[in-house]
């Protein structure tokens, strides 16, 4: 499967626990984006990363949320001390290098986070 | 003002008809435009991208872009029940990193 991979697909956490969401981009893609989607709402941009760099985190809440894309391994979105309002679908998307003006983003299957 | 606006619908069309989905955007610096389809409980799937004014056709789908009017649309010809989904419009500034998504239009194709 050469598509964007995310795991876990479903994650249940109790309030106050930490949630770690993982994303492996499509082969050959070096740009990763994280989005959050609440029920009946649109996709909200959170953060844009390249390998070892956070390029744009303007959509990320200032507290409890962090993201990384290490040199080796998947991108990780971390939510500390989760609250019920964090329950949502979190989607990762990847795109090839923008050098060739290809801005198309391809989405993974998402992680459904439920905070109890 | 929202960056990207779509009529939330629901839009219902009979099978075989043309479905027309519309999207307006606020930032004149927007350069790249995309249509995604999202089935309930699934992730968005890229259908079309368009970068220049005019029409772009791909099978039963036609994207139309009018930058002067800040308007992009998606036409689905010979609509099928399997086209029933939510269609998301996305816009990207050439110098920016974010995609701005509309809230989507729900389409139902009635057999």
């Amino acid at each position: 499967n050469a598509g964007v991979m995310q795991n876990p697909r479903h994650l249940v956490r109790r309030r106050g626990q930490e949630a770690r969401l993982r994303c492996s981009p499509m082969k050959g893609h070096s740009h990763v984006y994280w989005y959050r989607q609440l029920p009946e709402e649109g996709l909200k941009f959170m953060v844009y990363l390249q390998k070892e760099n956070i390029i744009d985190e303007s959509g990320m809440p200032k507290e409890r949320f962090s993201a990384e894309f290490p040199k080796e391994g998947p991108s990780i979105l971390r939510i500390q001390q989760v609250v019920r309002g964090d329950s949502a679908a979190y989607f990762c998307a990847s795109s090839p290098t923008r050098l060739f003006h290809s801005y198309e983003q391809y989405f993974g299957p998402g992680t459904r986070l439920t905070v109890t | 003002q929202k960056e990207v606006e779509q009529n939330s619908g629901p839009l219902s069309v009979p099978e075989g008809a043309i479905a027309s989905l519309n999207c307006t955007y606020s930032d004149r610096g927007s350069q790249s435009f995309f249509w995604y389809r999202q089935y309930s409980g699934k992730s968005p799937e890229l259908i079309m991208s368009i970068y220049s004014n005019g029409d772009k056709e791909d099978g039963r789908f036609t994207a139309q872009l009018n930058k002067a009017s800040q308007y992009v649309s998606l036409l689905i010809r010979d609509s099928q029940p399997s086209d029933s989904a939510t269609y998301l419009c996305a816009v990207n500034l050439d110098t920016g990193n974010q995609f701005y998504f509309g809230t989507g239009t729900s389409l139902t194709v009635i057999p």
Side-chain angles (χ1 to χ4, degrees):
Chain A
N1 184 353
V4 179
M5 294 190 289
Q6 289 187 252
N7 66 80
R9 297 288 299 274
H10 299 274
L11 182 61
V12 179
R13 284 288 178 265
R14 294 185 176 180
R15 281 179 296 171
Q17 291 185 318
E18 179 180 284
R20 283 197 181 200
L21 289 62
R22 295 174 183 78
C23 169
S24 295
M26 286 179 72
K27 190 174 182 179
H29 286 193
S30 56
H31 302 255
V32 167
Y33 309 79
W34 285 94
Y35 294 86
R36 177 166 62 178
Q37 188 175 40
L38 294 168
E40 307 304 321
E41 293 189 14
L43 286 159
K44 300 297 184 187
F45 168 82
M46 299 181 74
V47 62
Y48 162 44
L49 309 104
Q50 295 180 25
K51 284 285 186 183
E52 299 184 279
N53 283 304
I54 297 174
I55 307 302
D56 182 349
E57 57 182 347
S58 58
M60 194 98 94
K62 297 292 183 230
E63 298 178 353
R64 301 188 298 108
F65 287 74
S66 62
E68 63 177 2
F69 190 11
K71 186 176 180 180
E72 301 291 338
S75 175
I76 295 175
L77 178 68
R78 181 186 303 172
I79 311 172
Q80 295 177 305
Q81 299 176 323
V82 297
V83 301
R84 286 203 174 133
D86 296 332
S87 296
Y90 291 83
F91 291 101
C92 168
S94 72
S95 68
T97 176
R98 293 167 72 94
L99 181 64
F100 301 106
H101 299 288
S102 177
Y103 304 117
E104 297 177 350
Q105 294 184 12
Y106 297 88
F107 282 80
T111 295
R112 272 76 178 171
L113 172 65
T114 302
V115 179
T116 62
Chain B
Q1 182 182 3
K2 291 185 178 179
E3 289 86 0
V4 180
E5 296 208 42
Q6 296 181 252
N7 186 335
S8 62
L11 173 66
S12 294
V13 299
E15 184 174 355
I18 296 174
S20 177
L21 305 161
N22 305 314
C23 172
T24 58
Y25 58 95
S26 60
D27 195 323
R28 286 194 174 273
S30 301
Q31 295 292 331
S32 309
F33 307 87
F34 307 87
W35 283 99
Y36 286 83
R37 177 175 63 197
Q38 187 175 25
Y39 294 111
S40 180
K42 301 296 184 181
S43 61
E45 173 191 6
L46 181 65
I47 299 175
M48 295 279 288
S49 58
I50 185 167
Y51 302 95
S52 304
N53 276 328
D55 294 1
K56 179 182 178 181
E57 186 174 318
D58 184 0
R60 296 186 296 112
F61 299 97
T62 298
Q64 299 174 317
L65 175 60
N66 184 325
K67 289 186 178 181
S69 301
Q70 296 175 240
Y71 176 94
V72 58
S73 65
L74 179 71
L75 300 178
I76 306 174
R77 290 182 299 280
D78 188 23
S79 295
Q80 301 297 309
S82 59
D83 295 326
S84 299
T86 296
Y87 289 80
L88 303 171
C89 172
V91 171
N92 177 239
L93 298 179
D94 189 49
T95 56
N97 306 307
Q98 292 191 33
F99 271 30
Y100 294 95
F101 280 86
T103 53
T105 298
S106 175
L107 171 67
T108 300
V109 180
I110 303 168

